[in-house]
Amino acid sequence: MDSTKKLIPLAALQHYAFCPRQCALIHNHQLWAENWHTAKGQLLHERVDRGEPETRKDIRFERSVSVHAPSLRLTGKLDLLEINSAENTLIPVEYKKGKSKVDDCDRIQVCAQAMCLEEMLGVEISDGAIWYWQTKRREKIELTEKLRKRTRGVIEAVGELFDNESLPKAVFMRACNNCSLLDLCEPKVSQADRSVGYMEAIFKDDYEKTTK
Amino acid sequence: MKKLQNSLFITRQKSYVHKQRETIVVEQESEKILQIPIHAIKSIFCFGNVIVSPFLLGFCAENGVGLAFFTEYGRFLARIQGPQSGNVLLRRIQYEKTKSAPLDVARAIIAAKIVSSRSVLQRHIRNYGSQDDVVKVIGRLKHNLEQARVDPSLDRLRGTEGVAAANYFSVFQHLVRVENDAGFAFNGRNKRPPTDPINAMLSFLYSVLGNDISAALQGVGLDPQVGFLHTDRSGRDSLAMDLLEELRAWWVDRLVLTQVNRREIKARDFSQAVSGAVTMSESARKALLKAYQEKKHEEVEHPYTKEKLPIGLIPHMQAMLLASHLRGDLECYPPFVYR
């Protein structure tokens, strides 16, 4: 990997899976805005990242573990790593404030975390987990080849987005209403780009057209 | 959309402004004359000899509260600025575009300025009956608009804009509706220093609005100093001056006319120095700023987005639209036109 290229933060993969434009606004244009969702997520992570490492019944729990995998171009942090010395397994665990989703965006993040660990430690990891705060449920994530392939695809797509410094066009969808960048992204403004007609109407001095 | 927070204008000479816990305190000769919660304030404007404590300066810089200093005439002196917002990419596009292809944005701005100036005159005729001179200028402005559409270079466009502005101000006197002008004779724009009351008021408010626009531009991560129409000049917020062109006539000019025509401000509120320079009294300045602030809360429909918004947020909206255009989300920059 070209070391001059910007590394991809793990969070960017999830941003991309949610919306490529959101990912570009945050990571290429450095825009950020807080809303109810982001604030709640921050609070949750403050709570779970603070814990000291502890060992219970052969399992060691390490919190807020930094990972860095140059060949994957990834960098970031895991919420929790469970090291089971009896079974000789590693399980990356991600905390999410909501509930389990149909789409893969949360799973992709955990899969990427596991791939980072595999590269750093030279081990193989078969499972990860997500702890959903709202439903108080722990979901087991099998790191299948299919999920890994999707994850590699997203990493590649985010890498391209970073390298080209491009900004995907906005497409307004229901999820936009939960996005903290809604006011900065203005999907409705750019999706319906009427600016050419608007300018023509000004020059034509065509009052009717601009007031439609 | 952003919330419109309040601006604090300090016009009283020798005021001392400082921070006390979570409040802003204004004192005069060690006497507290005002105390307000700091989080309710979006910007602080100081006119003339006003002293601000370093801790309040620091707070403003850190929290993105605009703090600007003006002379008593409203000439801009300095502004406190916090760390640049992180949007390097957008600024890079701005520098690139202003240098290599400034004409389209400049053209849009001038077109909007001409249309809006014309609307101010047309509205006057609708309200007070036709006047030949004004009708003539309305016709000329239409020609200026047609010219601006085809001007092949920035210089030619600036020329057209100069002609249009001279046309518009040549009949501005007709819009002053107080008997025998009552000391408000107006013979075209003059500045640095203004030599009549109307010019003094225009200069003063252009300066205040320009600074609001600068703050809005910084808010979206644009560099207020690098413009499309106005060339870079050290210490001048050229991009803010660009966007000001769209807003001058319908926002500031009308506001000044209203104040004069309603006799809220009178000729005796001004004094003239030997040099010819005209100074506003503190009460007049206060009345103008009050009217300016009140105007910010009036709602209008944005001609492009079609959403209703307070006038005070228009600089912010235009800054966002310009950023959208530079990012490639909008093919043209849609200026604000008033009809």
Side-chain angles (χ1 to χ4, degrees):
Chain A
M1 200 208 80
D2 179 354
S3 64
T4 59
K5 285 186 172 175
K6 187 164 86 173
L7 285 172
I8 298 168
L10 285 167
L13 302 179
Q14 205 200 0
H15 294 147
Y16 189 91
F18 173 76
C19 164
R21 183 173 162 91
Q22 186 204 52
C23 182
L25 286 171
I26 293 171
H27 299 279
N28 286 350
H29 283 272
Q30 288 110 35
L31 295 183
W32 184 251
E34 295 284 346
N35 68 2
W36 176 86
H37 294 282
T38 59
K40 223 171 142 156
Q42 295 272 19
L43 277 175
L44 167 65
H45 280 98
E46 272 170 32
R47 282 172 64 173
V48 300
D49 292 349
R50 264 206 310 260
E52 289 295 308
E54 52 178 322
T55 305
R56 282 179 295 194
K57 276 204 256 165
D58 299 333
I59 302 179
R60 185 174 162 76
F61 298 87
E62 298 226 4
R63 293 177 193 278
S64 193
V65 179
S66 291
V67 290
H68 176 91
S71 81
L72 290 165
R73 202 180 160 177
L74 293 174
T75 180
K77 262 187 187 165
L78 283 66
D79 287 336
L80 174 67
L81 182 58
E82 294 179 357
I83 305 154
N84 188 322
S85 51
E87 295 180 13
N88 204 9
T89 57
L90 287 175
I91 299 180
V93 184
E94 176 68 15
Y95 285 82
K96 292 287 172 200
K97 68 173 177 58
K99 50 187 181 204
S100 183
K101 300 175 190 70
V102 180
D103 63 59
D104 270 342
C105 60
D106 293 347
R107 294 177 199 103
I108 282 170
Q109 201 179 352
V110 174
C111 181
Q113 292 174 355
M115 284 157 66
C116 285
L117 290 167
E118 288 175 334
E119 177 177 331
M120 291 167 77
L121 306 171
V123 293
E124 270 186 38
I125 299 176
S126 57
D127 298 303
I130 303 175
W131 173 258
Y132 286 103
W133 198 259
Q134 193 183 324
T135 50
K136 300 279 184 287
R137 285 219 159 153
R138 179 173 166 135
E139 185 183 330
K140 183 175 160 184
I141 309 292
E142 279 181 52
L143 304 173
T144 59
E145 189 45 43
K146 195 172 149 205
L147 180 63
R148 287 168 184 267
K149 203 173 156 191
R150 278 215 58 198
T151 305
R152 281 192 291 268
V154 173
I155 295 171
E156 202 172 313
V158 175
E160 260 175 51
L161 189 74
F162 279 21
D163 296 342
N164 304 335
E165 295 187 333
S166 57
L167 179 64
K169 286 266 181 235
V171 180
F172 188 79
M173 45 189 180
R174 256 184 46 199
C176 290
N177 294 322
N178 292 331
C179 174
S180 70
L181 296 181
L182 181 63
D183 282 348
L184 297 164
C185 169
E186 292 271 14
K188 284 179 174 166
V189 170
S190 58
Q191 188 177 8
D193 181 359
R194 293 172 290 103
S195 61
V196 176
Y198 176 82
M199 252 353 273
E200 273 171 17
I202 290 177
F203 278 116
K204 281 203 187 114
D205 211 12
D206 183 351
Y207 182 52
E208 289 307 307
K209 255 186 100 167
T210 51
T211 50
K212 240 176 234 154
Chain B
M1 202 65 207
K2 281 203 172 174
K3 294 242 177 326
L4 190 55
Q5 281 160 305
N6 289 322
S7 304
L8 176 63
F9 293 91
I10 301 165
T11 55
R12 206 174 284 196
Q13 298 304 288
K14 294 186 188 164
S15 299
Y16 172 57
V17 196
H18 62 107
K19 181 174 170 280
Q20 201 175 60
R21 290 186 305 278
E22 299 300 299
T23 62
I24 295 173
V25 178
V26 183
E27 285 179 11
Q28 207 156 27
E29 288 166 11
S30 309
E31 205 172 310
K32 206 181 272 188
I33 49 175
L34 177 78
Q35 185 163 20
I36 34 175
I38 203 157
H39 298 287
I41 295 295
K42 186 76 192 98
S43 40
I44 304 172
F45 297 95
C46 307
F47 294 90
N49 192 8
V50 174
I51 298 126
V52 178
S53 83
F55 302 106
L56 183 56
L57 291 176
F59 175 88
C60 291
E62 201 176 335
N63 291 281
V65 175
L67 173 61
F69 294 90
F70 300 82
T71 65
E72 285 172 81
Y73 299 96
R75 191 168 60 79
F76 174 72
L77 291 169
R79 185 180 57 234
I80 283 290
Q81 199 182 334
Q84 277 279 32
S85 61
N87 203 339
V88 185
L89 193 54
L90 180 64
R91 279 195 292 278
R92 219 186 311 135
I93 301 168
Q94 179 194 351
Y95 300 145
E96 164 63 28
K97 262 237 158 93
T98 45
K99 209 176 148 126
S100 66
L103 199 55
D104 286 347
V105 174
R107 202 191 299 282
I109 287 168
I110 294 307
K113 179 181 179 173
I114 296 173
V115 171
S116 300
S117 307
R118 216 170 122 233
S119 301
V120 169
L121 300 180
Q122 281 167 327
R123 192 168 274 231
H124 171 76
I125 279 184
R126 273 205 302 276
N127 292 343
Y128 303 107
S130 184
Q131 286 163 299
D132 290 350
D133 293 357
V134 181
V135 173
K136 238 181 253 165
V137 165
I138 289 172
R140 280 195 209 132
L141 286 172
K142 191 168 171 65
H143 286 298
N144 298 148
L145 178 67
E146 283 156 13
Q147 185 59 50
R149 185 179 196 168
V150 294
D151 275 331
S153 70
L154 216 45
D155 280 343
R156 294 277 291 278
L157 189 65
R158 288 191 191 112
T160 303
E161 188 248 336
V163 173
N167 279 331
Y168 164 75
F169 279 117
S170 72
V171 290
F172 199 70
Q173 180 69 57
H174 291 293
L175 278 55
V176 180
R177 300 182 40 80
V178 283
E179 266 137 61
N180 316 326
D181 307 335
F184 287 105
F186 179 90
N187 298 311
R189 268 295 275 153
N190 57 53
K191 44 202 161 181
R192 292 191 206 97
T195 55
D196 61 79
I198 293 217
N199 273 302
M201 290 187 277
L202 292 175
S203 290
F204 178 70
L205 285 185
Y206 290 156
S207 182
V208 173
L209 175 55
N211 206 51
D212 272 350
I213 298 170
S214 285
L217 288 166
Q218 284 175 50
V220 299
L222 287 163
D223 182 341
Q225 293 200 309
V226 181
F228 291 84
L229 186 67
H230 293 83
T231 43
D232 306 353
R233 198 186 293 161
S234 100
R236 176 166 83 173
D237 283 356
S238 298
L239 187 59
M241 309 272 290
D242 285 358
L243 295 194
L244 177 63
E245 297 294 354
E246 297 170 29
L247 311 180
R248 280 175 199 269
W250 68 266
W251 183 336
V252 174
D253 301 3
R254 281 171 61 226
L255 191 142
V256 167
L257 287 167
T258 306
Q259 292 301 299
V260 171
N261 292 339
R262 285 196 193 145
R263 296 181 178 68
E264 303 275 349
I265 288 181
K266 300 188 176 59
R268 65 164 182 272
D269 286 320
F270 299 84
S271 55
Q272 192 153 25
V274 181
S275 64
V278 164
T279 324
M280 241 183 294
S281 71
E282 199 165 305
S283 61
R285 207 173 302 142
K286 224 173 169 160
L288 265 190
L289 288 170
K290 188 164 166 279
Y292 174 78
Q293 281 309 92
E294 279 167 4
K295 181 120 186 150
K296 279 188 184 176
H297 291 278
E298 265 176 45
E299 290 223 323
V300 290
E301 185 189 75
H302 193 284
Y304 181 72
T305 65
K306 301 292 181 216
E307 57 177 24
K308 268 205 169 332
L309 78 169
I311 284 179
L313 283 181
I314 287 173
H316 176 76
M317 191 72 209
Q318 293 313 119
M320 290 219 299
L321 289 169
L322 182 57
S324 290
H325 165 65
L326 292 173
R327 285 197 191 107
D329 287 337
L330 295 176
E331 196 163 332
C332 305
Y333 161 65
F336 190 94
V337 279
Y338 161 81
R339 307 213 180 239

